[in-house]
């Protein structure tokens, strides 16, 4: 399942561009920060989203599905190279509480290995698919050296599938230190993102990664945030 041929490619990534550290310079205690997060990729529409984020000098956090990283390793590498944060969103997008301890550990660990082999980065954050989690899942995530990252606001972009509605929902949800859940695999979300980014910046938001938002107070393995 794990792709050894990709090891060489990830070794070539050891020298990441300086822009990777850019958002770490933003102090969210002093300025108005907001974290945009994108789940379920990498997908077909992710590269267009990366372009929009770069153009707006915005950083985001991507919770990646292990099997999709295997399908689109180059896109996963692009996410990291552009300075965004990445997290684990399981290997098969499984609803974790229904599974045995071993199956949950497998979903998390295999994804850790796949992401590390492809990008050279081992995630420190995970987000449970469908937001379904419990104390047992959190404990097993802690054993896998992962913090659980939830959200302050969801957009239901996957069900809206309408650019105007998605834009209105995101702008209504936006607040200082918020964490907004969206999906880079929803074409309408990606399509309307340049307009959303423009408006958020106009409102004075600094668009940062989740670790930047946490201001050095995490993510700590086994802890749950937001
Ligand atoms: Zn998901």
């Amino acid at each position: 399942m794990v792709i050894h041929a990709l090891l060489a490619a990830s070794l070539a990534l050891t020298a990441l561009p300086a822009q990777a550290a850019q958002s770490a310079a933003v102090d969210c205690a002093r300025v108005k920060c907001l974290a945009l997060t994108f789940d379920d990729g990498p997908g077909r529409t992710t590269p267009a989203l990366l372009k929009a984020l770069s153009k707006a000098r915005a950083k985001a956090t991507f919770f990646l599905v292990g099997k999709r990283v295997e399908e689109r390793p180059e896109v996963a590498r692009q996410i990291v190279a552009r300075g965004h944060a990445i997290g684990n969103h399981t290997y098969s997008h499984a609803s974790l509480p229904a599974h045995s301890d071993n199956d949950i550990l497998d979903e998390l660990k295999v994804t850790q290995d796949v992401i590390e082999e492809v990008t050279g980065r081992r995630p420190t954050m995970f987000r449970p698919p469908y937001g379904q989690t419990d104390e047992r899942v959190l404990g097993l995530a802690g054993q896998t050296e992962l913090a659980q990252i939830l959200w302050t606001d969801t957009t239901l972009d996957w069900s809206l599938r309408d650019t105007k509605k998605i834009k209105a929902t995101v702008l209504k949800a936006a607040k200082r230190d918020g964490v907004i859940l969206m999906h880079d695999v929803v074409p309408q979300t990606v399509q309307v993102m340049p307009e959303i980014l423009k408006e958020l910046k106009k409102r004075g938001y600094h668009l940062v990664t989740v670790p930047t938002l946490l201001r050095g107070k995490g993510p700590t393995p086994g802890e749950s945030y937001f």
Side-chain angles (χ1 to χ4, degrees):
M1 187 174 342
V2 176
I3 317 159
H4 294 286
L6 288 165
L7 189 59
S10 73
L11 289 174
L13 258 182
T14 44
L16 284 164
Q19 64 170 328
Q22 197 175 44
S23 66
V26 177
D27 181 0
C28 296
R30 296 176 54 200
V31 298
K32 194 161 89 168
C33 285
L34 177 68
L36 303 180
T37 66
F38 298 95
D39 291 8
D40 294 5
R44 193 175 50 79
T45 48
T46 307
L49 174 64
L50 291 175
K51 274 186 195 156
L53 290 168
S54 287
K55 205 174 167 202
R57 297 177 182 272
K59 299 291 187 237
T61 304
F62 290 79
F63 289 92
L64 307 173
V65 173
K67 68 176 178 187
R68 294 193 176 146
V69 172
E70 288 180 338
E71 288 163 10
R72 290 185 165 84
E74 190 49 50
V75 180
R77 282 192 283 276
Q78 271 292 313
I79 292 170
V80 171
R82 288 177 187 247
H84 304 295
I86 50 170
N88 181 325
H89 197 46
T90 76
Y91 184 78
S92 66
H93 205 265
S95 172
L96 296 176
H99 289 270
S100 69
D101 287 10
N102 278 344
D103 284 352
I104 293 170
L105 287 170
D106 202 46
E107 281 280 345
L108 294 175
K109 282 180 177 168
V110 170
T111 306
Q112 291 292 88
D113 292 343
V114 168
I115 291 176
E116 187 174 13
E117 271 200 58
V118 166
T119 69
R121 296 277 176 87
R122 196 164 182 87
T124 57
M125 307 179 285
F126 100 104
R127 178 174 276 165
Y130 316 103
Q132 288 170 351
T133 186
D134 56 22
E135 285 302 315
R136 187 172 62 99
V137 169
L138 186 56
L140 295 166
Q143 282 179 37
T144 318
E145 297 296 307
L146 289 165
Q148 175 170 273
I149 307 294
L150 301 174
W151 52 84
T152 62
D153 297 274
T154 177
T155 58
L156 300 178
D157 57 345
W158 54 271
S159 77
L160 291 172
R161 301 266 167 180
D162 176 290
T163 54
K164 279 198 177 72
K165 283 181 190 164
I166 292 169
K167 182 182 172 186
T169 307
V170 174
L171 294 178
K172 194 169 171 226
K175 58 174 179 267
R176 186 170 185 173
D177 293 336
V179 177
I180 298 185
L181 166 60
M182 291 174 280
H183 297 83
D184 48 322
V185 295
V186 172
Q188 293 85 353
T189 296
V190 175
Q191 207 184 320
V192 78
M193 196 50 57
E195 288 179 38
I196 291 174
L197 294 170
K198 199 174 163 190
E199 183 59 29
L200 289 174
K201 296 197 86 174
K202 209 164 103 186
R203 296 184 189 183
Y205 285 105
H206 292 256
L207 303 171
V208 300
T209 64
V210 166
T212 298
L213 194 69
L214 291 174
R215 300 165 202 165
K217 293 176 204 148
T220 303
E223 296 285 314
S224 187
Y225 297 85
F226 308 110

